[in-house]
């Protein structure tokens, strides 16, 4: 099992910045992908950004150029730096990790942290 704990959510004004962090613990040796998804009220969960253990990244179209995912493999953490925030970015943000061990994939999720963009 892998445990994920997020921190850093809150209220920010439009145009502002915010940084989320996620710490992984437990059986982390098989973790490859780590990243972030979000879910706004009444909408499905969508990709924000993911990063592999080698540093390759992929972002959702709505956040490209504004958000950056980074990873510290030594400390088993992944961060999401958000700039130029818009009200449409308001959502619960979830940390996500994918572990593959012996050809078996397991997905893990954090409890979520609320980000609200409002004046």
């Amino acid at each position: 099992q892998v445990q994920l704990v997020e921190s850093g959510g809150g209220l920010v004004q439009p145009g502002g910045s915010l940084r989320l962090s996620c710490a992984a613990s437990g059986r982390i040796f098989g973790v490859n992908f780590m990243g972030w998804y979000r879910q706004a009220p009444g909408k499905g969960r969508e990709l924000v950004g993911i990063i592999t253990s080698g540093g390759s990244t992929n972002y959702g179209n709505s956040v490209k150029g504004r958000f950056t995912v980074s990873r510290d493999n030594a400390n088993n953490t992944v961060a999401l730096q958000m700039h130029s925030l818009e009200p449409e970015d308001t959502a619960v943000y979830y940390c996500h990790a994918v572990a593959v061990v012996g050809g078996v994939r397991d997905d893990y999720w954090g409890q979520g942290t609320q980000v609200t963009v409002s004046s």
Side-chain angles (χ1 to χ4, degrees):
Q1 293 292 324
V2 175
Q3 292 78 44
L4 302 173
V5 178
E6 302 109 332
S7 61
L11 174 65
V12 62
Q13 293 186 343
S17 298
L18 201 62
R19 182 178 176 89
L20 306 181
S21 295
C22 173
S25 61
R27 301 184 66 179
I28 59 177
F29 60 88
V31 171
N32 186 355
F33 294 94
M34 292 188 73
W36 299 87
Y37 285 74
R38 69 185 182 185
Q39 187 165 16
K43 295 186 177 181
R45 194 168 292 189
E46 67 169 348
L47 170 69
V48 177
I50 57 173
I51 185 168
T52 69
S53 55
S56 297
T57 57
N58 187 35
Y59 294 95
N61 288 333
S62 62
V63 306
K64 285 180 180 177
R66 300 187 298 124
F67 291 11
T68 302
V69 179
S70 60
R71 182 170 175 172
D72 183 343
N73 291 324
N75 292 303
N76 302 310
T77 58
V78 62
L80 178 67
Q81 181 66 54
M82 303 181 287
H83 294 297
S84 302
L85 283 160
E86 304 166 352
E88 293 74 23
D89 295 315
T90 296
V92 177
Y93 284 69
Y94 296 92
C95 183
H96 176 241
V98 176
V100 179
V101 179
V104 177
R105 169 179 171 150
D106 287 303
D107 288 67
Y108 299 95
W109 296 92
Q111 79 284 358
T113 185
Q114 177 70 46
V115 172
T116 302
V117 184
S118 175
S119 56

